[in-house]
């Protein structure tokens, strides 16, 4: 008997582990642990928490549809796994890789429990489209790529020659154990409020397109225009699939395979390569989750953070974006870049404050990709935006939404303004864009000097 634990792979198809289990045969306990350290009350109330519950409800539905059993427990994963190892004849533990600092600590405890009891411990990594070890050999490199463009060139070559297609094992091919040790079931039972939230999430799913249907509609109707329309944030021409990819409800391989032969799909597939680029960094750049400890950010301040978060900066596109984010949990990529750069640069706030805020607010929150976006915006990490190239939110607004329709929608109090003036800072603006830009360049030059050899700013 094996123990299979779902984590960021909340689906019942295309998992390398399922292919391996089917080859080997035998029955297994399939488990998802709701970890209170990750799913506290506040998180479950948030946009990102609701997405998590919907993703989990989809997984439960997949198991039910295949007439297979998924056990849902609540508690500390390492403690639960150890209890199961002691109570049941489990030969080995199988799960999906995860590389955030919390996940690494959790997994070292899980591995230690398996070792203590002489059981196997096997981890698969289905999150990326490339197999990192194989990719390293293909590229003849021992060091990870630090710049996206050469990474992407190599990535395209690898995908053409070495891509391993999606797997074929389905839940129905596996044999799941129906009954757990009853003591364990009682001790780690899902609290009633989480069970009822999960039931509500299942009802929401029942009225929505499934992620696979959403992918099919996007590939059919929108992927061809993606390149031209991606930055038109008033429309948001994105696929909206990030939330399902991040929880593993949607397999990235199926996403890639569905888009591959479509006209004009290159631009969208390039975004999947960006995703791989950040996931690679989380695995291979030891500083990825530690820049705030390696650099001196003490000259920055969170004095303006609340005004930013509450949409009270007086810079219309920023305030409109923060309203959209708060109300819906949605924010198109360009607006994430503009708002993140404004917070970290013009308002000189440590990126960690914005990163933490997005954690609760984004419906598609993912710890690795969110960090990637914040590192990029604050000029930290591999291939970040150069510290002296600071987006001007007014110029961005004029360029990407000249009519100002986006601002009118989210800030109705400005709706009466003509197209020409609607983008401009209001008289109450909390910073002067030009002066704050100059101060940000000074501040980040100082922060980055010891570690990053970026060139000096060009003459204005
Ligand atoms: C400050 C900041 C924070 C971000 N936080 C998150 C986050 O928490 N979760 C998240 O999934 N993405 C994050 N992103 C990346 C990007 O904004 C979202 O992936 C994208 O907007 C999701 O919309 P979509 O599903 O319509 O993607 P599409 O535009 O349809 O793109 C397809 C897929 O490619 C990937 N992708 C797209 N853009 C990027 C990118 N810039 N970097 C890496 N992968 C990308 C995503 O998996 C996405 O689903 C962040 C970006 C910034 C600048």
């Amino acid at each position: 008997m094996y123990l299979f634990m779902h984590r960021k792979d909340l689906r019942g198809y295309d998992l390398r582990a399922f292919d391996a289990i089917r080859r080997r045969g035998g029955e297994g306990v399939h488990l998802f642990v709701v970890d209170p350290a990750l799913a506290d009350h506040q998180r479950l109330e948030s946009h990102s928490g609701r997405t998590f519950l919907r993703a989990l409800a989809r997984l439960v539905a997949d198991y039910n549809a295949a007439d297979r059993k998924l056990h849902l427990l609540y508690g500390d994963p390492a403690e639960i796994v150890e209890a199961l190892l002691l109570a049941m004849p489990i030969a080995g533990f199988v799960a999906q890789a995860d590389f955030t600092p919390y996940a690494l600590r959790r997994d070292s405890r899980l591995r230690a429990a398996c070792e203590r009891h002489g059981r196997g411990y096997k981890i698969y990594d289905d999150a990326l489209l490339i197999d990192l070890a194989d990719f390293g050999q293909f590229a003849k490199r021992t060091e990870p790529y630090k710049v996206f463009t050469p990474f992407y060139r190599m990535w395209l070559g690898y995908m053409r020659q070495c891509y391993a297609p999606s797997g074929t094992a389905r839940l129905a091919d596996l044999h799941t154990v129906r009954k757990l040790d009853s003591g364990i079931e009682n001790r780690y039972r899902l609290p009633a409020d989480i069970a009822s939230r999960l039931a509500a999430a299942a009802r929401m799913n029942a009225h929505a397109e499934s992620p696979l249907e959403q992918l099919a509609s996007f590939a059919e109707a929108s992927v061809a225009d993606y390149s031209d329309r991606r930055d038109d944030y008033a429309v948001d021409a994105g696929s909206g699939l990030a939330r399902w990819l991040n929880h593993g409800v949607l397999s990235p391989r199926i996403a890639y395979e569905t888009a591959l032969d479509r006209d004009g799909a290159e631009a969208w597939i390039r975004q999947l390569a960006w995703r791989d680029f950040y996931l690679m960094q989380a695995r291979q750049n030891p500083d990825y989750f530690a820049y705030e400890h390696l650099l001196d950010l003490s000259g920055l301040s969170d004095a303006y953070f609340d005004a930013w978060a509450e949409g009270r900066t007086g810079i219309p596109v920023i305030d409109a974006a923060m309203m959209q984010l708060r109300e819906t949990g949605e924010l198109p990529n360009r607006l994430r870049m503009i708002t993140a750069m404004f917070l970290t640069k013009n308002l000189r706030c440590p990126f960690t404050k914005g990163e933490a805020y997005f954690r609760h607010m984004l419906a598609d929150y993912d710890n690795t990709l969110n960090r990637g976006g914040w590192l990029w915006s604050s000029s930290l990490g591999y291939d970040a935006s150069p510290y002296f190239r600071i987006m001007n939110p007014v110029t961005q607004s004029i360029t990407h939404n000249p009519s100002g329709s986006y601002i009118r929608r989210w800030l109705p109090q400005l709706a009466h303004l003509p197209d020409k003036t609607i983008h401009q800072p209001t008289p109450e603006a909390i910073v002067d864009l030009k002066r704050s830009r100059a101060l940000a360049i000074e501040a980040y030059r100082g922060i980055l000097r010891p570690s990053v050899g970026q060139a000096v700013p060009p003459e204005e």
Side-chain angles (χ1 to χ4, degrees):
M1 182 186 295
Y2 63 89
L3 169 58
F4 178 81
M5 189 174 175
H6 280 282
R7 281 112 71 103
K8 286 182 173 173
D9 53 357
L10 304 186
R11 63 178 181 268
Y13 66 97
D14 185 29
L15 291 172
R16 299 288 185 231
F18 281 9
D19 286 332
I21 291 168
R22 182 179 59 178
R23 271 195 304 277
R24 197 180 284 190
E27 60 172 6
V29 172
H30 283 223
L31 175 70
F32 184 86
V33 175
V34 178
D35 180 348
L38 298 177
D40 57 30
H41 186 74
Q42 195 195 3
R43 178 84 198 285
L44 293 179
E45 285 282 312
S46 71
H47 294 300
S48 69
R50 282 196 284 271
T51 302
F52 158 69
L53 288 166
R54 285 189 60 189
L56 184 55
R58 287 218 173 272
L59 181 70
V60 173
D62 281 358
Y63 273 81
N64 291 342
D67 195 21
R68 294 295 178 269
K69 179 70 188 169
L70 175 71
H71 298 277
L72 288 181
L73 296 178
Y74 178 82
D76 173 53
E79 190 184 311
I80 291 176
V81 166
E82 183 148 26
L84 286 167
L85 296 182
L86 288 171
M88 300 179 77
I90 290 165
F93 169 88
V94 185
Q96 189 66 224
D98 196 357
F99 287 86
T100 63
Y102 174 79
L104 290 173
R105 284 196 301 278
R106 175 196 62 203
D107 288 358
S108 76
R109 291 177 59 224
L110 282 166
R111 179 194 274 271
C114 291
E115 283 171 1
R116 246 191 327 277
H117 300 290
R119 317 294 169 89
Y121 178 83
K122 174 84 183 148
I123 294 291
Y124 289 85
D125 196 352
D126 286 307
L128 291 89
L129 285 163
I130 54 176
D131 176 296
L132 279 177
D134 204 32
F135 179 72
Q137 284 183 2
F138 178 80
K140 300 189 178 53
R141 281 176 77 103
T142 47
E143 291 284 300
Y145 279 93
K146 294 193 170 174
V147 180
F148 177 73
T149 304
F151 166 81
Y152 178 53
R153 269 199 297 273
M154 192 58 71
W155 187 92
L156 284 174
Y158 177 87
M159 294 299 278
R160 266 193 301 273
Q161 295 179 43
C162 309
Y163 172 67
S166 46
T168 54
R170 296 283 182 275
L171 273 173
D173 301 323
L174 312 183
H175 304 286
T176 55
V177 173
R178 296 232 156 238
K179 281 272 347 128
L180 282 190
D181 174 273
S182 57
I184 292 178
E185 224 156 26
N186 290 334
R187 198 166 349 133
Y188 300 107
R189 190 178 295 285
L190 216 52
D193 72 307
I194 296 188
S196 77
R197 282 171 200 272
L198 198 56
R203 285 194 293 278
M204 273 191 83
N205 285 342
H207 296 291
E209 264 187 329
S210 75
L212 285 172
E213 287 165 346
Q214 203 179 321
L215 169 68
S217 325
F218 176 75
E220 181 68 36
S222 311
V223 77
D225 298 334
Y226 179 78
S227 169
D228 292 341
R229 300 187 55 199
R230 181 173 191 231
D231 285 332
D232 182 357
Y233 53 71
V235 180
D236 190 7
S239 64
L241 290 168
R243 71 205 63 196
W244 307 128
L245 287 166
N246 295 335
H247 286 290
V249 180
L250 178 64
S251 145
R253 285 186 284 262
I254 298 290
Y256 171 74
E257 289 166 21
T258 304
L260 189 58
D261 294 325
R262 300 272 172 177
D263 284 343
E266 302 79 21
W268 193 70
I269 288 177
R270 191 170 191 270
Q271 298 312 312
L272 297 180
W274 266 108
R275 181 175 181 275
D276 271 11
F277 185 61
Y278 284 131
L279 294 174
M280 174 196 74
Q281 290 189 50
R283 287 148 175 76
Q284 297 186 344
N285 172 4
D287 298 341
Y288 193 66
F289 286 104
Y291 282 99
E292 61 272 45
H293 307 300
L294 302 172
L295 296 169
D296 180 7
L297 305 182
S298 60
L300 305 179
S301 142
D302 62 6
Y304 290 123
F305 172 79
D306 289 345
W308 173 83
E310 291 162 16
R312 294 188 283 104
T313 68
I315 309 294
V317 70
I318 300 290
D319 296 346
M322 299 313 285
M323 297 311 275
Q324 180 189 12
L325 178 62
R326 193 162 48 167
E327 279 188 32
T328 65
E330 312 288 336
L331 198 61
N333 181 64
R334 178 144 298 268
L335 290 172
R336 297 186 200 200
M337 296 195 293
I338 299 172
T339 52
M341 204 176 261
F342 182 76
L343 180 72
T344 55
K345 301 293 176 52
N346 298 84
L347 302 183
R348 297 200 304 287
C349 178
F351 75 93
T352 45
K353 286 285 288 187
E355 181 191 28
Y357 185 72
F358 272 22
R359 173 170 191 254
H360 286 280
M361 286 297 151
L362 282 176
D364 63 16
Y365 167 75
D366 174 82
N367 38 22
T368 299
L369 298 186
N370 190 44
R371 171 147 284 236
W374 280 94
L375 288 179
W376 183 89
S377 307
S378 56
S379 307
L380 309 175
Y382 296 169
D383 205 3
S385 158
Y387 74 93
F388 48 82
R389 202 167 291 145
I390 298 178
M391 287 175 179
N392 180 317
V394 172
T395 315
Q396 290 285 318
S397 185
I398 294 169
T399 307
H400 297 293
N401 182 229
S403 73
S405 61
Y406 179 81
I407 296 172
R408 283 194 185 84
R409 175 164 176 212
W410 293 104
L411 299 179
Q413 67 275 27
L414 300 186
H416 63 284
L417 292 174
D419 296 5
K420 247 180 125 67
T421 47
I422 193 162
H423 307 279
Q424 299 303 322
T426 67
E428 295 79 36
I430 59 173
V431 278
D432 173 79
L433 292 176
K434 204 164 171 209
R435 185 171 147 67
S436 60
R437 176 183 183 278
L439 290 172
I441 289 174
E442 257 335 287
Y444 280 85
R445 197 205 311 265
I447 290 170
L448 293 166
R449 185 174 287 125
S451 57
V452 179
Q454 291 191 11
V456 291
E459 292 295 321
E460 283 288 298

